[in-house]
């Protein structure tokens, strides 16, 4: 169902400027831009770890059914999503920022008693953390909602322990 793939890249003095586009008949559209600059005092012919990096991605998915081959027959997933993400920094460290939104999310796994519908996701990425503004699903006559911050890989607290996720959730008449 791929209707178009476009890729363009320019290389000049160890710097790269690239764009990519993807379109499909299933309503999955994505655009990306990549820029890698030249690091000061970097030897010619090498992309240094401190070379400036900017990567931007915008993706629209009219349906999440495109992921069904990876989920298999154990469950059905559907809904729509939009992502706007930017990685800005250097080749060695470029934290991700942006948003991920999903609506009309649905997960059905009958063998496990899972029938979630009318799902919503609103997540924000910033400073190496993922903040879930809202995650909600209807199950039976009730609703499950959650929000909070997810742990970031590599983050270490002052006491030397790894970072912990902090989520608040509520389930009212939610059937699972």
């Amino acid at each position: 169902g791929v209707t178009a793939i476009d890729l363009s890249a320019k290389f000049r003095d160890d710097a790269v400027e690239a764009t990519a586009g993807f379109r499909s008949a299933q309503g999955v559209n994505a655009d990306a831009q990549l820029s890698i600059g030249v690091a000061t005092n970097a030897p010619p012919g090498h992309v240094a770890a401190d070379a400036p990096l900017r990567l931007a991605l915008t993706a629209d998915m009219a349906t999440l059914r495109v992921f069904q081959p990876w989920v298999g027959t154990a469950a059905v997933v559907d809904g729509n999503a939009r992502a706007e993400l930017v990685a800005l920094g250097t080749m060695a460290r470029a934290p991700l920022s942006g948003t991920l939104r999903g609506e009309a999310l649905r997960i059905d796994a009958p063998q496990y008693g899972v029938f979630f519908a009318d799902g919503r996701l609103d997540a924000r990425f910033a400073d190496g953390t993922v903040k879930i503004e809202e995650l909600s699903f209807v199950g039976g006559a009730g609703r499950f909602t959650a929000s909070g911050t997810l742990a970031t890989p590599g983050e270490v607290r002052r006491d030397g322990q790894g970072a912990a996720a902090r989520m608040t959730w509520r389930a009212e008449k939610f059937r699972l």
Side-chain angles (χ1 to χ4, degrees), residues 9 16 24 42 57 81 84 106 108 125 127 136 142 146 148 150 153 174:
V16 179
S24 80
L57 171 71
E84 294 178 1
R106 178 179 151 213
D108 291 339
F125 302 83
D127 299 324
S136 68
L150 298 180
F174 183 70

Side-chain angles (χ1 to χ4, degrees), residues 48-59:
D50 62 341
L53 171 94
R54 181 179 189 282
L55 173 64
L57 171 71
T58 302

Side-chain angles (χ1 to χ4, degrees), residues 49-77:
D50 62 341
L53 171 94
R54 181 179 189 282
L55 173 64
L57 171 71
T58 302
D60 284 304
M61 293 177 271
T63 178
L64 298 179
R65 287 186 185 247
V66 297
F67 296 112
Q68 197 62 51
W70 290 286
V71 175
T73 59
V76 174
V77 295

Side-chain angles (χ1 to χ4, degrees), residues 39-138:
T40 308
N41 301 323
H46 296 281
V47 176
D50 62 341
L53 171 94
R54 181 179 189 282
L55 173 64
L57 171 71
T58 302
D60 284 304
M61 293 177 271
T63 178
L64 298 179
R65 287 186 185 247
V66 297
F67 296 112
Q68 197 62 51
W70 290 286
V71 175
T73 59
V76 174
V77 295
D78 202 1
N80 60 72
R82 176 170 177 79
E84 294 178 1
L85 304 171
V86 174
L88 186 61
T90 65
M91 290 294 290
R93 182 166 168 12
L96 191 63
S97 63
T99 59
L100 174 62
R101 291 192 173 98
E103 294 183 354
L105 302 175
R106 178 179 151 213
I107 303 171
D108 291 339
Q111 69 274 29
Y112 302 114
V114 174
F115 298 97
F116 299 161
D118 192 26
R120 293 188 301 266
L121 171 66
D122 185 2
R124 302 196 188 291
F125 302 83
D127 299 324
T129 62
V130 179
K131 183 168 184 177
I132 306 294
E133 300 285 342
E134 177 188 18
L135 172 63
S136 68
F137 281 98
V138 168

Side-chain angles (χ1 to χ4, degrees), residues 147-160:
S147 63
T149 303
L150 298 180
T152 304
E155 183 180 332
V156 178
R157 299 185 316 217
R158 289 182 188 173
D159 63 5

Side-chain angles (χ1 to χ4, degrees), residues 6 18-23 28-34 55-60 82-85:
D6 297 310
T19 60
F22 177 87
R23 305 288 178 265
V28 177
N29 300 309
D31 292 294
Q33 297 84 36
L34 170 68
L55 173 64
L57 171 71
T58 302
D60 284 304
R82 176 170 177 79
E84 294 178 1
L85 304 171

